[in-house]
Every structure is written in structure tokens, then in C-alpha cells.
């Protein structure tokens, strides 16, 4: 169907008005002017009718939904007045929409079009391009967002939302099937990717369990010259992970988790169990002077037997020049061995210069490692040298951008803002050379947060997800950004999908613990926090979950354990010297008690310390200030830190802002909270992507 035919089909619906159902309800007259309905119950009444246009609503039932708690006579009288007011507004706009009888109310047939009905027309009539554009615009906006009139109304709305989403899911599924039958693979991929933004469980979770082969590419053994350090072997693995990740029928374990098993002596079944995969791709790179041999084998995790093998022999120059072909040959051979459908993969834009490639591999390995004395400065130096040799090396620009971001997050540097801006410049350069990069967009999203452009950060994250929906790092960022904005329920599927694919990455479990805590599932929050600790990461969020559960003694003890990771995983604030052991013990005990003992005096003592840190530290917005301020409910401290400067090192603090427990919730309940949210760009993000689970959108009271 072409565009004119589609418009004709939409025109058949006719209508005096167009209603917006995704996000906050809006009504637009035929001339394009918005019809303003200040009475929020009148607006809700009309929205309900538009959401269920073929379903008359009983007047008595409607009065109970919109005026709960009132006497029946009062509620019926309020409904009559509401209908009278609404009728006058619609008459002024020349919109005759309502069919009102003594017993029920309904929309007149064909008088209203909605964004939901228009989307259904596009899907059922095969206009996948228009449907994709509409779904992109809709994003994650819930139907009739920010309407709340009590439990009975919420039950009605929840049920009708579910029905509408189920019908939409069915229409999308039918459209996808039609595209597949027509061999329109590009249209199929576009529609599926954009639908997965709205319904992540439809793609990132369900599809993983239905028909996808789960595989991990383990670090190859390097049997090379002593000065090679295995970087060439790691480069082959990286390119294989990228290539295999583009195969629709494969789910590839994340690099972070796979590389946990470098040089491991564990049995294949044990490794596969930890990574939640059925197959392991193992390999080795034998290099002697300028000769190289790459050997690859596919191991069935259950049996432990090798079911497929590949090898390449040649000079290093030959291997370097032909590595894309070698990776493609492995991908194709593996697909044949697993009986997967044919597919196309696109190699990353790397370099044809061996020296630049070697420097890049070394720099990127250190960038991923991140933590350690001099690790990141060395990574930056190596990557800069690679770019001096080949300034068109797009992936190296992205790696350099990530190294600069990691400097601002994992080291106590004093020039965070300058480095973040520099990283954004590098990411833009990478995109100018290779526009399809997801990671470069994530770097730009970090920078957008520091500029109070949270809408821009979310836009970039979702665009990265559209490009690489099976990338666990991208899944993690989409989920964490939604979490920071208070959309914990929407964040959960993305975080779970990221962990499903990258299960040995400890950082993910801090985010999962925070999500569960915000959703009130304290037991799950404790379990996720403990998993994070087991993987060697700080116990801060486990302590928070234990405190919310009521086990304050365990929370204090757990929080103190974090001091063991000082100067290894976490560092002193920028510009501050490490404390001596006795002072460190005293500080962590005071902090643990102030945060989690539940004793008012302990909290007051630590609040004084946080105030002192804010007044004396080189970086007055350091996370050692912002995170305790949130956990202790120090609203004004939060407003004058995060409200003044968000940095890549402190913006993760937002994920703890949305726990509905004392004293954390005192920040959200503070009268200055909305001004703070407006100032940092959070309200703008809520307007586009939906308001927080715990914070209904302000509306005009009637």
C-alpha cells in the first residue's frame, strides 16, 4: 500500500477529532487546535471512551470509578455536572462526540480517531514503514499515562491497557509474519527492533528462550611471541562476538562474562552453566614470528564433545588482511553446523594498518579493564598513538571516547567535565566515520546527562538499542537510564535481559538490586545485592536492601565491608589522599551507622560529615556526597549537588532516589523536588517517556 492509499484508508475512519492515547491524553479538533479540558475527571471520562470506543460505560459504574468514596447521589450529580461541562467544551469546538442516555455513555461511531487506531490501520494494511515511524514516536509511553482516581479506576485502566497492548501485539506479530513471507527482511528487522523498545519482553527475553541457540565465545588461547600478550587473539574473539551477535538465531554471551573464564581450567559444562549457554566456541592462535595459525572449535556444553572445527594457516600479513573473511568463514561455518538460516553480517570499520590495530587492541583491553594504577592513562596513550597512524579508524575513536568516560567514572580525576566533553567529541568523530555505532551513541548519552539533557540521553540510548538490540551493554544502559528517571517497572526487562546475556558482570547486579528495591521486592533486591558482592563488587546496595528489610545490624556490617575494596574497586574523592587504616575504619563505621543503623543521632552525625565534605572537597558533587545524601533523605543536599552538576561519576546515584522507604522518600516528598526535577531536565524526560512509578503527573484539580 502506498502513502496515498494509506491516507485514504485513515480518512475512512473520519472523525471530528483526533485523540492522543499514548502518554498524557490529548484531544485535537479537526482544524488541528488542541481542545483543552481543564476538568481532569471530564478529561478522564473522554479518555476512557476513546480507549474503549466500542464499549458503552454504565453511568453508575462510571460515577463510582471517577468519584470513589462519595455517596451515590453525590457521585451521580457530579457526573451530570461533568457531562454538562464536557458537552459545552466539545460544542464550542464543533465536536459532537458523545452518545448519552439515561443509563450509559458511549462515543458516537466514527467521530474520533486515535493514535492507537491509526497505528492499527498501518499494521493491518501493510504499511510497515509508517507503523515503524509511529512506534518510534510512541516509544515506551503508556496508554493514558498519569490518570489516577483510586483503586477501582486503576483496576479498570490496567485491564483495558492490557487488552489494548495484547491487540497491538497481535497486530505487530501479524505484520511481522507478512513481512517475513514477502522476504522483506529489512522491514521486518526495523519493525521488530522498534516494537522491542515498547515491548522489550517480546524480543529481548521471550525470543531468547524460543528457538535461539545460546553460545559463548571464550577467550582464545594465545601461543605467541612473549611480547604479544595475547592481544591479537583477543582481537579475533572481539570480531567473532560482533559478527555472531548479528546472527538472528544466535544469542551470544557478553564479552565481560566470557572473559571471566580466560585461562580457566573449569569443565565446559561448568562454564556453560555459569554463562547460561548451550555451546562454547573455543580457539587458539599460534603465532611464531610472522606465521600464524588460528584454530576454532564448537563444543556442545552438555556432552563436552567438539562438533565442528575450523583452522586457518598463513602469514601474519595474510591473516591481518583477511581477518574479516576469516571471521565471516567461522560465522558461516558455525551457522551451518547449528543449521541456522542464511543471514548477512556487517563487519566493524577497523583499520588496514597492523601497527594501529595492535595499539588499538592493547588500548581497548585496558579500557575494558578500567581499574588499576595507570591503566586508563596508558589506554588513552595507546589509542591516541593508533589514531595518529590511522585517523580514519572509527572503532578506535569510540574506544578512546570510552576510555575518557571511564577516566571520569573510575578514577579520582579533577577534570571530569572537560574529559566528558572531549569524549563526546571523539564519539561524534566515530559516528561521522561509521554512523551505525551503538557504543558511540552511549558515550554521547553520558555527555547529555551532564548537560541536563536527559531526553537527549534517552533518545540516544533507544537509538543504540535499535541498532544493537542484542548487545548486553546497550540493554544495560537503556534499563539504567529508565531507572534513573524513576521508571523502575519499565527498566526491569532491559536489566534482566542484560544479565541473561552477561550473567557474570557484577556491575549489572547493583542496578538489578536497585530496581527490585524500588519495586518493593526486598527479598529479590537482597539476592541481587549478594550476587554482586559474590562477584567482587561493593556491598553498598546490599546494605540498602538489608536496611529496608529491617535488618539494620546486618546492613551496618555489610556496608562496612566496602572498605576492603578501597583503592582497588573504589577510590577516595578527587584530590583527596587515601586515609590511614585507623581513620578509614573509623570513617566507614560512622558512615555505616549513619546510613543504616536506624538511630537518629547516628544519621545526624553523618549528615554533618556529608555537609563538611561538600564544603571542603575539590569536587563538591562527588558521589561520596550525593549517594549518602539520597540514602539519608538529605533533600537540600541532593538539590545543591545533583541539582547543580550531574557528572558521569555521580549520576548513577539517581537509581537509589526512587525507593519508597524512609528516609529516602523524603527527597521525593520535599516541596522543592519538582523545581529540582525541572531544573535538571528530568521533567522533560517524564513528559516524553512517562512519569515515574511513584510520582503521578500533576494535574489541574476540579
Amino acid at each position: 500500500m502506498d502513502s496515498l492509499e494509506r491516507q485514504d484508508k485513515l480518512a475512512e475512519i473520519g472523525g471530528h477529532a483526533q485523540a492522543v492515547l499514548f502518554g498524557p491524553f490529548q484531544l485535537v479538533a479537526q482544524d488541528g487546535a488542541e481542545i483543552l479540558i481543564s476538568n481532569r475527571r471530564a478529561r478522564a471520562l473522554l479518555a476512557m471512551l476513546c480507549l474503549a470506543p466500542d464499549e458503552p460505560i454504565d453511568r453508575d459504574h462510571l460515577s463510582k470509578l471517577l468519584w470513589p468514596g462519595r455517596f451515590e447521589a453525590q457521585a451521580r450529580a457530579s457526573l451530570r455536572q461533568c457531562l454538562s461541562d464536557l458537552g459545552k467544551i466539545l460544542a464550542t469546538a464543533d465536536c459532537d462526540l458523545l452518545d448519552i442516555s439515561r443509563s450509559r455513555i458511549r462515543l458516537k461511531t466514527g467521530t474520533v480517531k486515535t493514535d492507537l487506531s491509526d497505528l492499527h490501520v498501518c499494521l493491518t494494511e501493510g504499511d510497515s514503514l509508517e507503523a515503524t515511524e509511529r512506534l518510534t514516536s510512541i516509544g515506551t509511553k503508556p496508554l493514558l499515562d498519569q490518570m489516577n482516581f483510586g483503586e477501582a479506576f486503576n483496576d479498570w485502566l490496567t485491564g483495558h491497557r492490557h487488552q489494548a497492548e495484547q491487540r497491538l501485539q497481535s497486530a505487530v506479530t501479524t505484520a511481522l509474519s507478512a513481512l517475513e513471507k514477502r522476504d522483506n527482511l529489512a522491514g521486518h528487522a526495523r519493525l521488530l527492533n522498534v516494537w522491542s523498545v515498547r515491548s522489550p519482553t517480546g524480543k529481548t527475553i521471550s525470543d531468547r528462550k524460543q528457538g535461539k541457540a545460546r553460545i559463548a565465545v571464550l577467550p582464545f588461547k594465545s601461543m605467541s611471541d612473549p611480547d604479544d600478550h595475547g592481544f591479537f587473539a583477543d582481537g579475533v574473539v572481539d570480531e567473532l562476538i560482533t559478527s555472531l551477535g548479528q546472527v538472528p538465531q544466535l544469542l551470544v554471551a557478553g564479552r565481560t562474562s566470557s572473559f571471566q573464564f580466560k585461562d580457566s581450567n573449569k569443565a565446559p559444562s561448568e562454564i556453560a552453566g555459569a554463562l547460561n549457554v548451550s555451546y562454547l566456541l573455543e580457539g587458539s592462535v599460534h603465532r611464531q614470528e610472522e606465521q600464524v595459525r588460528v584454530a576454532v572449535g564448537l563444543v556442545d556444553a552438555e556432552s563436552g564433545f567438539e562438533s565442528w572445527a575450523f583452522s586457518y594457516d598463513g602469514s601474519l600479513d595474510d591473516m591481518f588482511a583477511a581477518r574479516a573473511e576469516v571471521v565471516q568463514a567461522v560465522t558461516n561455518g558455525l551457522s551451518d553446523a547449528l543449521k541456522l538460516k542464511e543471514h548477512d553480517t556487517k563487519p566493524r570499520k577497523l583499520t588496514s594498518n597492523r601497527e594501529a590495530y595492535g595499539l588499538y587492541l592493547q588500548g581497548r583491553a585496558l579500557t575494558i579493564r578500567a581499574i588499576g594504577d595507570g591503566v586508563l592513562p596508558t589506554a588513552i596513550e595507546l589509542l591516541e598513538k593508533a589514531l595518529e597512524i590511522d585517523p580514519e579508524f572509527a572503532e578506535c575513536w569510540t574506544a578512546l571516547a570510552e576510555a575518557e568516560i571511564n577516566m571520569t567514572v573510575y578514577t579520582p580525576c579533577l577534570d571530569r567535565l572537560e574529559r566528558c566533553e572531549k569524549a563526546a567529541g571523539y564519539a561524534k568523530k566515530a559516528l561521522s566515520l561509521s554512523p551505525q555505532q551503538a557504543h558511540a551513541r552511549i558515550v554521547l548519552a553520558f555527555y547529555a546527562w551532564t548537560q541536563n539533557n536527559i531526553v537527549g540521553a534517552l533518545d540516544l540510548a533507544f537509538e543504540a538499542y535499535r541498532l544493537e538490540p542484542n548487545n548486553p551493554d546497550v540493554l544495560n544502559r537503556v534499563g539504567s537510564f529508565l531507572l534513573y528517571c524513576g521508571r523502575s517497572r519499565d527498566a526491569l526487562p532491559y536489566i534482566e535481559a542484560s544479565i541473561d546475556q552477561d550473567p557474570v558482570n557484577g556491575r549489572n547486579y547493583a542496578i538489578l538490586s536497585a530496581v527490585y528495591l524500588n519495586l518493593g521486592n526486598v527479598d529479590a533486591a537482597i539476592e541481587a545485592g549478594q550476587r554482586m558482592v559474590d562477584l567482587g563488587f561493593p556491598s553498598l546496595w546490599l546494605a540498602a536492601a538489608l536496611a529496608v528489610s529491617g535488618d539494620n545490624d546486618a546492613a551496618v556490617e555489610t556496608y562496612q565491608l566496602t572498605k576492603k575494596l578501597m583503592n582497588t574497586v573504589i577510590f577516595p574523592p578527587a584530590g583527596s589522599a587515601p586515609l590511614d587504616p585507623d581513620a578509614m575504619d573509623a570513617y566507614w563505621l560512622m558512615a555505616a551507622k549513619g546510613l543504616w543503623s536506624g538511630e537518629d543521632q547516628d544519621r545526624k552525625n553523618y549528615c554533618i560529615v556529608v555537609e563538611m565534605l561538600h564544603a571542603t572537597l575539590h569536587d563538591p558533587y562527588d558521589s561520596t556526597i550525593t549517594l549518602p545524601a539520597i540514602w539519608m533523605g538529605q533533600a537540600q543536599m541532593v538539590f545543591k549537588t545533583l541539582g547543580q552538576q550531574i557528572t558521569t561519576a555521580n549520576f548513577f546515584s539517581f537509581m537509589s532516589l526512587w525507593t519508597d522507604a524512609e528516609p529516602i522518600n523524603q527527597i521525593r516528598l520535599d516541596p522543592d523536588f519538582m523545581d529540582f526535577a525541572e531544573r535538571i531536565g528530568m521533567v522533560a524526560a517524564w513528559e516524553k517517556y512517562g512519569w515515574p512509578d511513584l510520582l503521578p503527573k500533576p494535574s489541574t484539580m476540579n
Side-chain angles (χ1 to χ4, degrees):
M1 170 182 283
D2 63 27
S3 181
L4 288 176
E5 289 175 332
R6 188 191 64 76
Q7 292 295 337
D8 290 343
K9 181 65 179 179
L10 291 177
E12 291 177 12
I13 299 175
H16 299 97
Q18 174 79 40
V20 176
L21 302 184
F22 291 100
F25 178 75
Q26 290 179 287
L27 188 67
V28 179
Q30 196 171 25
D31 63 3
E34 183 178 357
I35 302 172
L36 299 176
I37 306 172
S38 59
N39 185 315
R40 69 191 188 99
R41 286 183 169 83
R43 189 165 63 252
L45 186 157
L46 189 56
M48 294 167 70
L49 294 172
C50 290
L51 182 59
D54 300 323
E55 180 183 312
I57 303 181
D58 182 83
R59 290 178 69 131
D60 287 341
H61 183 51
L62 192 56
S63 63
K64 292 175 183 176
L65 291 178
L66 293 177
W67 288 272
R70 293 191 185 181
F71 293 116
E72 289 186 13
Q74 289 178 321
R76 286 195 296 269
S78 296
L79 176 59
R80 286 194 298 272
Q81 183 61 51
C82 180
L83 288 169
S84 175
D85 294 343
L86 182 58
K88 293 175 183 177
I89 294 171
L90 295 176
T92 301
D94 194 26
C95 292
D96 183 17
L97 309 181
L98 301 181
D99 182 0
I100 303 174
S101 71
R102 296 186 63 182
S103 61
R104 62 185 188 177
I105 305 165
R106 66 179 301 163
L107 280 181
K108 290 184 177 180
T109 303
T111 59
V112 180
K113 294 190 300 180
T114 70
D115 49 356
L116 178 60
S117 64
D118 287 353
L119 177 56
H120 272 284
V121 169
C122 297
L123 290 167
T124 56
E125 298 300 326
D127 192 344
S128 64
L129 182 60
E130 178 67 17
T132 299
E133 291 177 356
R134 287 177 178 272
L135 280 168
T136 300
S137 176
I138 290 166
T140 62
K141 297 174 186 175
L143 288 159
L144 302 188
D145 197 17
Q146 306 312 312
M147 286 194 174
N148 186 352
F149 296 94
E151 185 176 352
F153 176 86
N154 291 342
D155 288 344
W156 184 95
L157 183 56
T158 298
H160 283 76
R161 277 175 176 163
H162 179 71
Q163 292 171 17
E165 293 286 358
Q166 288 293 100
R167 289 192 293 269
L168 189 55
Q169 170 75 71
S170 178
V172 170
T173 301
T174 301
L176 288 169
S177 178
L179 289 167
E180 192 169 16
K181 288 178 181 178
R182 297 201 302 267
D183 289 328
N184 186 349
L185 299 182
H188 183 280
R190 284 194 301 267
L191 180 58
L192 181 59
N193 284 341
V194 75
W195 173 245
S196 66
V197 171
R198 176 160 193 84
S199 180
T201 56
K203 179 173 174 62
T204 59
I205 296 176
S206 297
D207 283 1
R208 294 161 186 271
K209 300 177 181 178
Q210 297 177 7
K212 285 199 173 187
R214 305 178 67 106
I215 187 170
V217 185
L218 297 183
F220 285 11
K221 295 179 180 178
S222 179
M223 302 175 184
S224 308
D225 292 336
D227 60 351
D228 182 70
H229 301 295
F231 294 121
F232 185 82
D234 290 351
V236 175
V237 171
D238 269 349
E239 294 190 44
L240 274 172
I241 290 175
T242 299
S243 179
L244 293 172
Q246 298 177 54
V247 179
Q249 297 86 30
L250 282 180
L251 192 69
V252 184
R255 184 190 191 280
T256 303
S257 289
S258 291
F259 270 69
Q260 296 289 326
F261 296 95
K262 190 168 187 175
D263 301 322
S264 174
N265 293 320
K266 292 184 177 180
S269 59
E270 189 175 355
I271 296 175
L275 295 175
N276 195 21
V277 298
S278 302
Y279 300 95
L280 300 172
L281 192 68
E282 298 180 327
S284 61
V285 175
H286 297 252
R287 178 182 168 191
Q288 188 169 10
E289 296 181 349
E290 290 300 302
Q291 294 299 307
V292 64
R293 183 173 195 272
V294 177
V296 181
L298 179 68
V299 177
D300 184 298
E302 185 174 352
S303 67
F305 291 117
E306 185 175 272
S307 58
W308 173 83
F310 171 88
S311 63
Y312 171 88
D313 291 278
S315 70
L316 189 57
D317 282 336
D318 291 340
M319 175 60 193
F320 182 77
R323 68 190 187 282
E325 288 79 1
V326 171
V327 167
Q328 189 62 57
V330 173
T331 302
N332 292 338
L334 187 60
S335 298
D336 291 341
L338 296 175
K339 296 180 173 59
L340 305 179
K341 295 180 181 179
E342 292 185 5
H343 53 270
D344 293 322
T345 60
K346 296 179 181 179
R348 292 182 295 170
K349 187 173 182 180
L350 295 171
T351 181
S352 58
N353 185 284
R354 261 180 61 183
E355 184 181 358
Y357 187 63
L359 291 166
Y360 159 77
L361 291 176
Q362 296 175 63
R364 186 167 182 271
L366 293 175
T367 298
I368 294 170
R369 177 180 160 191
I371 296 170
D373 188 25
V375 166
L376 288 169
T378 303
I380 290 171
E381 182 181 351
L382 291 166
L383 295 169
E384 288 176 338
K385 287 181 179 178
L387 289 167
E388 288 176 6
I389 297 170
D390 184 359
E392 302 298 303
F393 191 171
E395 289 283 342
C396 194
W397 283 109
T398 298
L400 182 58
E402 290 179 325
E404 290 287 2
I405 288 293
N406 283 353
M407 278 287 293
T408 69
V409 175
Y410 297 114
T411 70
C413 62
L414 292 170
D415 54 351
R416 286 192 173 112
L417 296 180
E418 293 83 354
R419 285 186 178 276
C420 192
E421 185 173 6
K422 191 185 296 184
Y426 296 152
K428 290 176 182 177
K429 177 66 175 178
L431 289 173
S432 72
L433 295 167
S434 179
Q436 300 303 307
Q437 288 200 44
H439 275 103
R441 285 174 169 80
I442 295 299
V443 171
L444 290 175
F446 285 152
Y447 178 67
W449 271 92
T450 69
Q451 302 302 300
N452 292 340
N453 182 12
I454 299 176
V455 167
L458 283 164
D459 289 346
L460 286 160
F462 276 115
E463 177 63 14
Y465 176 70
R466 185 187 68 79
L467 292 168
E468 296 187 25
N470 289 323
N471 185 320
D473 293 331
V474 172
L475 285 163
N476 177 283
R477 291 307 172 192
V478 174
S480 60
F481 286 2
L482 288 170
L483 173 62
Y484 300 164
C485 292
R487 303 288 298 188
S488 303
R489 202 169 305 281
D490 289 340
L492 181 59
Y494 292 97
I495 300 304
E496 288 182 329
S498 176
I499 289 176
D500 176 56
Q501 196 172 340
D502 202 2
V504 197
N505 187 344
R507 294 184 182 92
N508 292 348
Y509 290 93
I511 301 170
L512 183 64
S513 183
V515 171
Y516 281 137
L517 197 58
N518 292 351
L519 294 175
N521 191 342
V522 180
D523 289 342
I526 292 173
E527 182 179 350
Q530 185 59 58
R531 177 61 174 156
M532 173 187 63
V533 172
D534 293 342
L535 290 169
F537 284 82
S539 53
L540 307 178
W541 287 270
L542 175 58
L546 288 168
V548 172
S549 76
D551 196 344
N552 296 88
D553 290 342
V556 170
E557 182 179 352
T558 299
Y559 194 84
Q560 283 183 276
L561 296 176
T562 303
K563 70 183 180 184
K564 295 180 179 179
L565 299 176
M566 283 297 296
N567 306 315
T568 55
V569 175
I570 55 178
F571 296 90
S576 301
L579 297 174
D580 65 59
D582 290 340
M584 186 182 294
D585 287 345
Y587 174 81
W588 280 98
L589 177 60
M590 178 187 58
K593 286 184 174 181
L595 290 169
W596 308 126
S597 73
E599 298 295 332
D600 196 44
Q601 189 57 52
D602 289 337
R603 177 178 174 274
K604 289 179 180 178
N605 291 342
Y606 192 38
C607 282
I608 293 172
V609 171
V610 170
E611 291 280 359
M612 180 191 69
L613 291 174
H614 180 255
T616 59
L617 286 182
H618 291 278
D619 180 2
Y621 316 113
D622 194 86
S623 60
T624 56
I625 301 168
T626 59
L627 195 55
I630 288 174
W631 281 332
M632 291 191 294
Q634 279 183 287
Q636 294 306 313
M637 178 58 71
V638 172
F639 302 158
K640 66 185 180 183
T641 51
L642 292 174
Q644 292 297 320
Q645 183 60 68
I646 300 173
T647 72
T648 50
N650 70 22
F651 79 145
F652 74 92
S653 305
F654 282 105
M655 69 182 181
S656 293
L657 187 63
W658 304 101
T659 301
D660 195 18
E662 290 280 357
I664 299 170
N665 57 12
Q666 292 306 306
I667 299 168
R668 177 171 47 86
L669 298 174
D670 190 279
D672 293 331
F673 180 76
M674 288 305 298
D675 288 339
F676 157 74
E678 178 77 41
R679 187 167 69 250
I680 65 173
M682 193 75 82
V683 172
W686 295 337
E687 291 286 355
K688 181 169 184 178
Y689 285 98
W691 282 61
D693 303 330
L694 298 175
L695 188 65
K697 180 180 179 181
S699 55
T700 304
M701 299 293 292
N702 58 308

